[in-house]
Amino acid sequence: TSRASSRVGYQSVMAADDSAALAVPMPTLLRALIEPGTGPLLLPYINVSLLALLVVLLITYFSGIVEGVGHHLVIMGVLAICLLLSINWFIAEFEKVQKEGEAGGASTAEPSEKPARAAAPRVSQEKTD
């Protein structure tokens, strides 16, 4: 019985801890990270991270700290630039399509009705001799 009572006590403590943890406001960035999908809040952080990576790569390349890997740094820099440009291009295209969809959806008050399709004539598949 002592074991059962200790489990009940543990569960009640855990329940109290869970509700207390949920009462603490979560930072906006952390909330954006755990929500499904990506929000517009993350885009500046992605851009800053990729630009910081490019700065580190440039400093490393021109300082000569590491010799013999210059071509690797150039390739990594090109990949970072391509990733930065492609993410921003995709977001711009997505927002453009979203705005067009909102503008197109607001202009049509009634949904368009599809015309009824004419029934195709049935061909008899009987063999004639």
Side-chain angles (χ1 to χ4, degrees):
T1 61
S2 64
R3 213 172 197 179
S5 63
S6 66
R7 285 184 183 167
V8 170
Y10 175 73
Q11 289 174 349
S12 64
V13 168
M14 287 301 292
D17 288 344
D18 288 343
S19 62
L22 293 175
V24 176
M26 194 179 308
T28 309
L29 176 61
L30 183 60
R31 186 176 303 127
L33 287 174
I34 63 172
E35 286 180 358
T38 58
L41 179 69
L42 293 180
L43 187 61
Y45 292 104
I46 293 170
N47 287 336
V48 168
S49 299
L50 288 171
L51 289 173
L53 173 64
L54 285 171
V55 167
V56 169
L57 290 172
L58 287 172
I59 290 172
T60 306
Y61 181 77
F62 288 115
S63 69
I65 295 173
V66 183
E67 294 186 21
V69 295
H71 58 283
H72 290 95
L73 295 174
V74 170
I75 292 171
M76 185 68 172
V78 168
L79 289 173
I81 290 170
C82 289
L83 181 61
L84 182 67
L85 293 174
S86 65
I87 287 173
N88 287 309
W89 171 81
F90 179 79
I91 295 297
E93 289 295 316
F94 181 74
E95 289 175 351
K96 187 186 338 176
V97 168
Q98 231 177 4
K99 287 179 184 176
E100 288 174 1
E102 289 174 0
S107 65
T108 59
E110 294 182 21
S112 62
E113 295 181 19
K114 294 182 181 178
R117 292 177 63 183
R122 293 195 165 230
V123 179
S124 174
Q125 295 185 0
E126 294 179 16
K127 291 184 180 180
T128 56
D129 290 320

